[in-house]
Amino acid sequence: QRIMVNHQVDKVKRECVVWAIALLSNGTVVSADSFGRVQFWDWQQGTLTESHTISTSAALSLAVSEREDSMVVGTSTGATYQLQLLPVKLGGSEKRWVRTKPFQFHTHDVRAVAHSPTALISGGLDAQLVIRPLMERVQRKGYDTVLRKFTFPHRRLVSCARKARLLLFQFSQYLELWRLGSTEETGKDGEVLPVCRMPEHLVQLKSKGPEHIYCSCVSPCGTWLGYSTASRFQLYRVRCDGDGVSLSKVPKVPKLLPPAYQLQFSADSESLFVASARGSVHVFQLLEPGGCKHLHTLQPPSGCSEAVYLLAPSADGHWLAAVSGDWAIHIYNLKCFKHHCVVPTYGCAVSALAIHPSTNNLVIAYSDQQLLEFSIPERQYTSWSRAVQSRGLHRIWLERDSPITHIAFNPKNPSHILLHDTYLLCIIDKSLPLPDDSALLMNQSALKQLPETARKRQLHAFKICKKFQ
């Protein structure tokens, strides 16, 4: 059977493209096209049975539920629409497809959709995956009833040279190096401080060829800069001459199987860790005045075919934690280049991790918002981490839809863990009790109104701020 989708439309100047099709068990073919129509066809006769113009833009993707009583359609404006098979009259047997719910969660084309028993799932060119629960299909409230947005990739696109106060920004075809601004003023909570030195754009480094930059990094001292594309790895020496900056390419960088999936310099800026596509991590020694040599390749003992996507070196240069695509966290001893241990497996992706500078405890954030702390020297979870697991984290914390993307520590207070996602900064104070579900999670503004004695009763470990600039 050959069905001409645009046969009924007279005098149509532009061509009609069918972007998605589905086949129902009763022999109906469903098509989604560039005119924004969802059409239902009898596959034996080739005739049109129903037509719905759901959008003025193209309908790009289509998915039908298992029960075949609901479908989700993605369009080129970033909107998704739900169609449901509903009875024409209450209690009647005759049913028709009706457009019931529009959702605007994306900013670009929705190229992929899926329909699970309890949710509509959509993926767009804005690099977001959105899970929208269908409340009528969910028995009880929980993690499954929360709207969740996942932003890809969780790869660091900004890296910081702390000692030199430089920021490196990664774009698809070039890198930009900036010097941070500064202020000499101090102020009260909520005040905006005047800047005595503005942020300064130092240099732009363009990548040759059409390939996108995979990953990049600047060393803590600000004198080394590296980046990788799909086919080559480049290392540069950065020299600051007064206000100007000069870059010189490091010649004869050891040839490795590209691409590098993640780059990370050691805290003393003397080593560079290059994460590979095959689960291994290459260790380079950085040489003066501008060279490098390959020291060792760290391999997981069981072997791994997945790329390493996160690296965390310890401040003392003793340990390195590496996370691969199979979600295993391997810890290596950098003094003897041996595998030390593997963190117990957890059934979720790792979104961020960091090693505490004084205790060498590894703090791990997972995509389901769980937080764990693992003692590297003792090869086991810490007592604080066990307390978190037995007590459980606050319900509102677990229902957030944005993953933690970075973990850091307060050098003046070892009990402080600093976390952030796209929308909030959080300090976890391990010396304070964990909040239970009845407590107010974001209680900072409420605490300010209370007298000192009442404030102590309301204090808990989570300090959350959304008003940052």
Side-chain angles (χ1 to χ4, degrees), residues 33-67:
D33 61 41
S34 57
F35 286 10
R37 298 173 306 191
V38 175
Q39 295 182 305
F40 296 79
W41 307 85
D42 182 312
W43 75 287
Q44 286 181 316
Q45 308 296 326
T47 52
L48 182 68
T49 56
E50 277 187 63
S51 179
H52 298 265
T53 303
I54 61 159
S55 173
T56 53
S57 62
L60 298 174
S61 48
L62 178 70
V64 184
S65 67
E66 279 181 22
R67 284 154 48 175

Side-chain angles (χ1 to χ4, degrees), residues 188-329:
K188 294 193 187 79
D189 183 15
E191 287 182 1
V192 177
L193 301 179
V195 177
C196 64
R197 180 171 176 164
M198 294 301 289
E200 185 186 352
H201 180 228
L202 298 175
V203 70
Q204 185 183 79
L205 176 64
K206 288 187 177 172
S207 169
K208 290 186 176 71
E211 293 176 338
H212 281 209
I213 296 172
Y214 260 42
C215 55
S216 60
C217 197
V218 61
S219 64
C221 66
T223 59
W224 299 91
L225 185 156
Y227 76 89
S228 174
T229 67
S231 64
R232 65 187 195 282
F233 163 66
Q234 306 278 20
L235 186 63
Y236 287 83
R237 191 70 203 261
V238 184
R239 287 183 176 82
C240 293
D241 320 314
D243 288 340
V245 165
S246 64
L247 292 178
S248 55
K249 190 174 170 185
V250 175
K252 296 179 183 172
V253 173
K255 288 276 187 288
L256 298 167
L257 280 175
Y261 269 74
Q262 185 71 282
L263 299 173
Q264 185 78 48
F265 287 92
S266 61
D268 58 9
S269 302
E270 290 182 6
S271 303
L272 171 65
F273 308 108
V274 181
S276 85
R278 287 279 163 196
S280 57
V281 180
H282 306 292
V283 184
F284 287 164
Q285 185 182 3
L286 302 172
L287 307 167
E288 293 294 342
C292 73
K293 72 172 183 178
H294 181 247
L295 280 185
H296 197 81
T297 297
L298 303 166
Q299 297 269 19
S302 57
C304 174
S305 59
E306 298 278 351
V308 171
Y309 69 95
L310 280 178
L311 291 172
S314 64
D316 60 8
H318 203 119
W319 308 106
L320 178 74
V323 187
S324 47
D326 57 2
W327 304 345
I329 305 171

Side-chain angles (χ1 to χ4, degrees), residues 339-382:
H339 185 269
H340 176 66
C341 67
V342 61
V343 177
T345 334
Y346 184 74
C348 269
V350 179
S351 65
L353 79 166
I355 299 174
H356 196 287
S358 56
T359 62
N360 276 338
N361 288 338
L362 177 69
V363 179
I364 312 155
Y366 289 94
S367 59
D368 66 348
Q369 311 300 350
Q370 287 294 342
L371 298 167
L372 295 173
E373 187 183 49
F374 183 83
S375 169
I376 294 175
E378 294 173 16
R379 308 185 199 204
Q380 62 179 7
Y381 289 121
T382 63

Side-chain angles (χ1 to χ4, degrees), residues 89-232:
K89 288 181 184 171
L90 199 65
S93 58
E94 189 191 347
K95 291 185 176 183
R96 302 238 9 202
W97 286 95
V98 180
R99 194 187 95 181
T100 51
K101 295 188 188 100
F103 306 110
Q104 187 75 48
F105 295 129
H106 297 274
T107 54
H108 292 63
D109 294 11
V110 180
R111 292 285 181 90
V113 287
H115 200 312
S116 83
T118 57
L120 308 177
I121 305 160
S122 55
L125 280 189
D126 54 4
Q128 287 212 98
L129 177 74
V130 177
I131 300 176
R132 173 73 172 77
L134 297 169
M135 299 304 283
E136 67 271 17
R137 301 274 180 93
V138 184
Q139 299 298 321
R140 58 191 180 86
K141 280 196 121 184
Y143 186 59
D144 293 334
T145 61
V146 184
L147 171 74
R148 279 167 286 162
K149 291 183 185 178
F150 301 92
T151 311
F152 295 98
H154 305 314
R155 184 172 284 156
R156 186 191 57 230
L157 300 177
V158 179
S159 60
C160 175
R162 286 165 82 170
K163 293 169 189 167
R165 293 180 60 78
L166 302 177
L167 286 182
L168 180 72
F169 295 95
Q170 176 186 318
F171 298 87
S172 59
Q173 302 283 338
Y174 61 92
L175 304 170
E176 282 189 359
L177 193 64
W178 285 72
R179 182 177 280 124
L180 277 169
S182 56
T183 182
E184 290 167 354
E185 303 290 324
T186 56
K188 294 193 187 79
D189 183 15
E191 287 182 1
V192 177
L193 301 179
V195 177
C196 64
R197 180 171 176 164
M198 294 301 289
E200 185 186 352
H201 180 228
L202 298 175
V203 70
Q204 185 183 79
L205 176 64
K206 288 187 177 172
S207 169
K208 290 186 176 71
E211 293 176 338
H212 281 209
I213 296 172
Y214 260 42
C215 55
S216 60
C217 197
V218 61
S219 64
C221 66
T223 59
W224 299 91
L225 185 156
Y227 76 89
S228 174
T229 67
S231 64
R232 65 187 195 282

